[in-house]
Amino acid sequence: MSDPVAVLDPFVRGIAAGAMAAMSLGVARSRVSLHARLVILALGVSVICWLITESPALWGAFDRANILVALSYPVGGLFWLFVLTVFEDRPITWTAVIPPAILFLLGFVMNLDDRFGALWIIFNGMSGLLALHAGYIIVRGWRGDLIEGRRRTRALLLGAIALFALGQVLVAFMARLEPTGVWRRYTIGGAYGGTMLAVLTVAGAVLFLQARPALFGAARRAEQAIDPRADAAERLLLDKLDAFIAAEGWRREGLAIGDLAADLEVPEHRLRRLINNRLGHRNFADFLNASRIAAAKRRLADPGEARTTVAAIAFDLGYGSLGPFNRAVRTATGATPTEWRRQALQASPNLQEAL
């Protein structure tokens, strides 16, 4: 007697592929950022190809086209890039494209000759590491995410997808070690694994189809005027927040939104809503960076501080390492701290002070 799950597998995959296509096209036509649209469109194509090529029935209907296999290879890297772009508000950079490109090249070589067992291990190992890192990013940024819809998505959907992706890597290794074992049924090529991916795909499509601004964090003007009709409690909280900024409380290393809420003696959800709705910041790091980068630019452009290292300035402004500082400065200015300092000092009328 045939397994009903296996019988329904092509049908379920077809529904999931259609939902993914609708979601990708819906987001592509929306008003979210160009970076988010490009990543989601690429991820949608890759997931659809993955669903098709892992199903003998569906892939056969496409005459086993190799182009579909090639487009499915970078799915793990594209999901990782999706998390960075949509949930960390990072732009697409050449360095961020490297992981998906490596997965594509590894898969392409494996497709030419399946004797490269080492490449298969590298491919799946790298996919697993990217899934782990994506899960880490989802968890790490949850507390400081100021967009409520996006915070819920992190916990309800993205976490499940990251765990599923990691589980698929582990199941693939188990199926490789024991080809006739039960593990194969839970890979993407198996009925149960395919069904789980289809369910997650449809759930993601339903959530992202409308490309709601609340989810994607539509840009707000950070300088927007405060509503004069704001109630007294909100004005009081804004005054406290202004005092915190004026006292340079943002210099504290490791400062989290929970710490600031405790200092200001307000519920965390109220503070989160205020910073997002009134000040226009999408995450707590963005709020801190507004003050930190303004101070960094003043110090980097000061000829009197030309001998102060970039690292010393970063640590003094509350950054725990150079990586986040470099990314924040590049995002704000389009240049690294060192490049921006050089340009600023060259334009300074007091250039001799820097020598």
Side-chain angles (χ1 to χ4, degrees):
M1 183 177 179
S2 59
D3 187 339
V5 176
V7 172
L8 292 174
D9 180 63
F11 177 72
V12 172
R13 289 174 188 263
I15 293 176
M20 195 70 188
M23 182 204 75
S24 301
L25 292 175
V27 172
R29 297 175 59 187
S30 70
R31 299 177 63 183
V32 302
S33 72
L34 176 61
H35 295 281
R37 279 182 281 163
L38 290 174
V39 171
I40 291 173
L41 187 60
L43 178 62
V45 171
S46 192
V47 169
I48 291 171
C49 292
W50 196 26
L51 283 164
I52 292 173
T53 56
E54 290 291 344
S55 170
L58 288 179
W59 194 20
F62 284 87
D63 199 25
R64 302 178 72 84
N66 286 332
I67 183 63
L68 297 181
V69 181
L71 292 176
S72 71
Y73 289 138
V75 64
L78 289 172
F79 172 70
W80 171 81
L81 186 58
F82 164 83
V83 171
L84 287 180
T85 304
V86 175
F87 288 84
E88 290 288 292
D89 298 315
R90 296 191 195 178
I92 300 174
T93 62
W94 288 111
T95 54
V97 175
I98 290 176
I102 291 176
L103 290 179
F104 175 80
L105 292 175
L106 288 173
F108 182 78
V109 174
M110 287 190 301
N111 193 49
L112 294 177
D113 193 334
D114 59 6
R115 292 176 300 176
F116 291 96
L119 289 183
W120 184 92
I121 294 174
I122 295 173
F123 177 88
N124 282 277
M126 183 175 176
S127 297
L129 290 175
L130 289 173
L132 274 175
H133 189 237
Y136 167 73
I137 292 172
I138 291 168
V139 174
R140 179 193 65 186
W142 178 80
R143 189 79 182 270
D145 197 336
L146 303 177
I147 303 172
E148 195 59 35
R150 198 167 64 174
R151 291 181 75 242
R152 290 195 299 268
T153 305
R154 287 178 186 266
L156 297 178
L157 181 62
L158 269 296
I161 292 176
L163 289 174
F164 173 79
L166 179 60
Q168 278 300 303
V169 173
L170 296 176
V171 168
F173 275 102
M174 295 301 297
R176 184 91 168 186
L177 294 173
E178 190 180 354
T180 59
V182 70
W183 305 104
R184 185 165 294 278
R185 297 167 64 87
Y186 292 92
T187 63
I188 296 301
Y192 293 102
T195 299
M196 286 189 289
L197 176 61
V199 170
L200 288 172
T201 301
V202 172
V206 171
L207 186 61
F208 287 96
L209 184 58
Q210 299 302 319
R212 295 171 298 174
L215 176 62
F216 288 94
R220 298 173 181 266
R221 292 180 62 85
E223 69 273 16
Q224 73 182 92
I226 300 302
D227 186 348
R229 297 172 298 178
D231 58 36
E234 187 172 75
R235 290 199 300 270
L236 178 60
L237 180 53
L238 284 169
D239 290 341
K240 289 183 177 181
L241 203 55
D242 288 340
F244 162 81
I245 295 173
E248 299 187 346
W250 40 263
R251 287 179 179 269
R252 192 193 318 172
E253 183 179 343
L255 179 67
I257 191 168
D259 301 325
L260 179 56
D263 291 346
L264 300 182
E265 299 180 336
V266 296
E268 187 176 320
H269 70 273
R270 279 190 56 202
L271 180 60
R272 183 181 293 112
R273 185 170 60 246
L274 181 80
I275 296 175
N276 177 226
N277 293 342
R278 295 301 186 190
L279 302 183
H281 298 290
R282 291 171 292 190
N283 56 66
F284 189 62
D286 184 40
F287 165 70
L288 294 178
N289 283 336
S291 298
R292 289 174 173 176
I293 297 306
K297 289 168 68 175
R298 288 194 297 270
R299 295 185 62 176
L300 290 170
D302 184 357
E305 293 215 48
R307 298 186 183 278
T308 305
T309 65
V310 169
I313 293 176
F315 297 144
D316 188 48
L317 294 177
Y319 290 94
S321 63
L322 273 176
F325 177 66
N326 289 337
R327 283 195 300 270
V329 172
R330 182 182 286 276
T331 299
T333 67
T336 66
T338 300
E339 292 169 347
W340 197 89
R341 164 182 264 177
R342 183 175 61 251
Q343 295 166 6
L345 290 178
Q346 287 175 347
S348 173
N350 301 316
L351 181 60
Q352 292 301 318
E353 295 181 28
L355 301 178

